Amino acid sequence: MGGSDVSPLWYWFVFFLYIAFLIYVGLNAYRKQKSSASAEEESNDYWITGRSQPAYMVGMSVASGWMLIGMITWMTWATYDLGLSGLWVVAIPWFLSNIWQFLMARPLRRIKAISQCQMLQNRFGLPARILSAPINIFSYTIWSAAELYAASLIMAPALGISIEAMIIVYAIPIALYMWMGGFRSVINANVVQFFMGAIILIVTTAALFITSHGIAAAHHTTIWSMLKAQPIVNSLAYPVDHAQNSASFFAYVSISFPLIVMLGLVPGWASAEDFWLKAQAARSTHEARMGGIYSIVFNTFVIVIPAAIIGVLGLIVFPPETKDGVLSAAAALGDKGAYNIISTYINSYMPPLLKGLLIFLLSAHTMSTVANYSNICAMNLSYDVLQPLIYKKRNWTDERIVKWARLVTVFMIIINILLAELYNSPVFGATLNDAYFLSSGLLTAGISVMLYVLWWKRANLLGVMLGGLAGTLGTFIFFILENKIWKNSYYTPIWDSIFGAGAMANSYLGYCVIGLVCGIVGVLVGTYVGKPPSKELLSAIADKPIDNNEEFFSGINA
């Protein structure tokens, strides 16, 4: 997506203005942290803002972090290719994961811990913390690098530089403001970035509607009539009833695919540490729950509904074409089909100034996702691995620990730069693309199976260790078998006997479900083979949420 009709000087000007804003955000956060009474308080603010966030900040920050380019374009593809039934692919599962996150706000605040990995240590022991951290780091690093690469693809042509150079230019301000303020910088910048994402989606949706209405009027009909007459593009062979049209909400032959998405992806999305950390950072449990409600509202009306409408209206603006007897996406959308609806529409239909603004907002907003997930990776590495294994064992002072926490944050940005550069390589890029798809399954099978048994009193260390290992290995192994060896052609005895041959293979997500089953079996076997947990470990879960910050932080530091 380029900006040939908008001067690169304009992009450079607004880009530097935005960098100046981010530096200002980071500097304010840095000053606040340095004014803390102690280095311990500075550290608490760096990772969790001292548990001081109001509900609207929690909700906006969560929604901003969820505005992934990959997620949004996946949603537009789903409703373009599958019509309204495509809502079951991304939109409805995403909405349900938001509901699930809201329900988790109260129970997770019953634990005196900042990160998910620390929660696992408090309830089960240090090995659970050390096992879970690398899984999170792998998943969120892959996501961060992918978003950094995607944003660079957008901005590089606009600024007139190479993609490789754009990745570095783009990452430098992120590293600076995160080094200065950590999580406080992230959550403060997220508010502005939320409005950026909202403007992009709402303006694009409104413009697409106007264009669609004009096309319908020119044909002396209505948008709804054109949609009802539009057949579904079934390019990826999902189990869809070809006799149905794009206006059918239940066009699936069976509920196999929606169930696979619910099982394989929703638990991982709901356990995303991005929300758990922000809910724990709220100034009270009531604010955390209200933040969850705001997140549901923002996600539904600013992200899910607009993105789904964009995909549906794309059927009118970019009508599917028949190629070699097969109905497929419009040639104007390129080789990625409906994934390119937003970028193609902005490029083809927007006036130059509006186009220039949207291109900038789209790329600048992506910083919220990169910063969110880079912050999580830095926390998992520094706070969850290095702190218990090195910092504390060597009796480092709080001042030195904070300095290293900031350095680790910059280190994770450097890792993201290196991975984003590799995305541009045909060989390594394909491998990283596989890892991107693999990551969601790992969050479900490797992380969520460990997290959701935190409140099960019978669960023990052996159970969560076996569950995490079995889920992770099961996901990796079956991903390779499914995609590289069997080429998505295999028979799943139980599932396919219920839903029909190929029901699991046609989903392309079998590895997520198999990994989840392996993880659950591991948890159950380990829990009932091992001894019940001690009363001391069970006491890590309080009877009610902990809103007293003095009590919370004294428990963490102890």
Side-chain angles (χ1 to χ4, degrees):
M1 181 164 130
S4 57
D5 47 356
V6 180
S7 171
L9 292 177
W10 184 91
Y11 288 111
W12 278 110
F13 175 71
V14 293
F15 187 64
F16 279 123
L17 284 180
Y18 186 59
I19 289 175
F21 161 73
L22 292 178
I23 300 303
Y24 172 76
V25 168
L27 191 58
N28 271 352
Y30 184 79
R31 287 171 176 169
K32 180 174 179 60
Q33 288 162 5
K34 287 301 179 182
S35 66
S36 301
S38 66
E40 185 180 283
E41 288 185 13
E42 180 185 347
S43 177
N44 292 336
D45 192 277
Y46 190 80
W47 292 128
I48 201 171
T49 66
R51 291 185 109 205
S52 60
Q53 296 304 317
Y56 77 90
M57 290 282 281
V58 173
M60 280 188 181
S61 184
V62 173
S64 181
W66 270 108
M67 286 184 186
L68 288 81
I69 291 178
M71 278 285 199
I72 292 170
T73 55
W74 188 17
M75 206 175 304
T76 60
W77 164 83
T79 50
Y80 181 94
D81 270 31
L82 306 176
L84 293 183
S85 63
L87 293 173
W88 291 101
V89 178
V90 193
I92 294 175
W94 193 348
F95 174 77
L96 293 177
S97 70
N98 275 260
I99 299 290
W100 195 336
Q101 287 181 339
F102 161 73
L103 296 175
M104 292 304 303
R106 182 178 177 83
L108 70 85
R109 286 181 64 94
R110 291 166 55 194
I111 309 173
K112 297 175 184 177
I114 291 177
S115 69
Q116 291 177 336
C117 304
Q118 188 179 29
M119 292 179 184
L120 289 169
Q121 177 188 358
N122 292 356
R123 172 63 179 80
F124 300 110
L126 181 59
R129 185 176 187 175
I130 303 305
L131 172 64
S132 58
I135 303 173
N136 262 347
I137 292 171
F138 173 86
S139 299
Y140 292 118
T141 300
I142 292 296
W143 286 6
S144 297
E147 291 294 302
L148 182 58
Y149 174 66
S152 299
L153 285 176
I154 295 169
M155 277 301 284
L159 295 178
I161 61 177
S162 68
I163 294 172
E164 292 81 3
M166 188 67 238
I167 289 170
I168 298 172
V169 171
Y170 201 82
I172 289 174
I174 300 176
L176 284 174
Y177 86 87
M178 286 186 61
W179 171 80
M180 287 188 285
F183 183 59
R184 182 172 291 277
S185 290
V186 170
I187 205 165
N188 287 343
N190 277 173
V191 175
V192 173
Q193 291 157 341
F194 167 78
F195 285 108
M196 288 180 166
I199 290 171
I200 296 162
L201 287 170
I202 293 172
V203 168
T204 304
T205 303
L208 258 168
F209 178 81
I210 293 171
T211 304
S212 300
H213 179 74
I215 293 172
H219 288 81
H220 307 290
T221 185
T222 64
I223 290 176
W224 185 243
S225 296
M226 292 189 73
L227 288 175
K228 287 196 293 184
Q230 182 64 254
I232 292 172
V233 180
N234 190 24
S235 60
L236 290 188
Y238 285 132
V240 178
D241 185 349
H242 292 273
Q244 299 292 324
N245 58 40
S246 61
S248 172
F249 189 51
F250 299 100
Y252 291 96
V253 172
S254 72
I255 61 171
S256 174
F257 184 73
L259 280 178
I260 288 171
V261 173
M262 301 297 176
L263 289 171
L265 297 179
V266 173
W269 291 350
S271 66
E273 188 157 15
D274 177 49
F275 173 80
W276 285 48
L277 178 60
K278 289 167 184 174
Q280 191 71 291
R283 57 192 177 197
S284 69
T285 301
H286 173 72
E287 294 286 314
R289 288 169 65 82
M290 285 302 300
I293 293 176
Y294 286 143
S295 174
I296 293 170
V297 173
F298 294 148
N299 270 286
T300 302
F301 294 101
V302 177
I303 305 175
V304 174
I305 292 178
I309 291 175
I310 288 171
V312 172
L313 293 179
L315 289 165
I316 297 176
V317 179
F318 304 105
E321 304 169 1
T322 301
K323 300 174 184 176
D324 300 323
V326 178
L327 197 63
S328 56
L333 296 175
D335 59 350
K336 291 187 178 180
Y339 287 98
N340 285 336
I341 288 178
I342 294 176
S343 59
T344 302
Y345 181 79
I346 291 175
N347 244 353
S348 304
Y349 286 87
M350 294 291 189
L353 288 179
L354 183 56
K355 170 185 171 181
L357 175 64
L358 292 178
I359 289 174
F360 167 72
L361 291 177
L362 186 61
S363 62
H365 156 74
T366 307
M367 285 187 177
S368 64
T369 302
V370 177
N372 268 290
Y373 294 149
S374 297
N375 176 73
I376 289 172
C377 293
M379 180 178 66
N380 289 151
L381 178 56
S382 181
Y383 187 74
D384 290 316
V385 177
L386 298 179
Q387 185 154 312
L389 296 184
I390 297 177
Y391 302 163
K392 293 296 185 181
K393 286 189 175 181
R394 296 186 178 183
N395 296 317
W396 282 13
T397 63
D398 291 327
E399 289 84 355
R400 189 178 184 186
I401 290 175
V402 172
K403 288 179 180 178
W404 272 80
R406 296 183 191 277
L407 290 174
V408 169
T409 300
V410 174
F411 171 75
M412 291 312 306
I413 298 295
I414 294 173
I415 296 298
N416 284 333
I417 292 173
L418 295 175
L419 289 177
E421 298 283 1
L422 290 176
Y423 264 107
N424 216 28
S425 161
V427 177
F428 292 105
T431 302
L432 288 171
N433 196 50
D434 285 341
Y436 183 85
F437 287 105
L438 184 65
S439 59
S440 288
L442 287 176
L443 289 181
T444 291
I447 294 295
S448 73
V449 294
M450 302 173 73
L451 290 174
Y452 294 136
V453 298
L454 279 165
W455 298 271
W456 181 25
K457 292 185 177 181
R458 181 61 178 84
N460 55 23
L461 177 61
L462 180 60
V464 295
M465 293 297 287
L466 286 181
L469 287 170
T472 300
L473 291 175
T475 303
F476 265 110
I477 292 170
F478 201 79
F479 180 84
I480 294 171
L481 291 173
E482 182 178 35
N483 290 277
K484 306 302 179 183
I485 298 176
W486 297 333
K487 304 292 184 181
N488 297 103
S489 179
Y490 57 90
Y491 183 82
T492 310
I494 299 176
W495 194 271
D496 288 5
S497 64
I498 298 173
F499 298 106
M504 181 71 76
N506 287 339
S507 72
Y508 299 88
L509 293 172
Y511 63 94
C512 297
V513 178
I514 299 301
L516 176 62
V517 171
C518 291
I520 293 174
V521 170
V523 167
L524 293 175
V525 170
T527 294
Y528 287 107
V529 167
K531 297 179 180 179
S534 65
K535 290 183 178 181
E536 181 182 0
L537 289 174
L538 289 174
S539 67
I541 310 292
D543 294 331
K544 58 182 181 180
I546 304 160
D547 285 344
N548 184 299
N549 284 350
E550 185 176 343
E551 177 187 354
F552 177 82
F553 285 115
S554 65
I556 287 177
N557 296 327

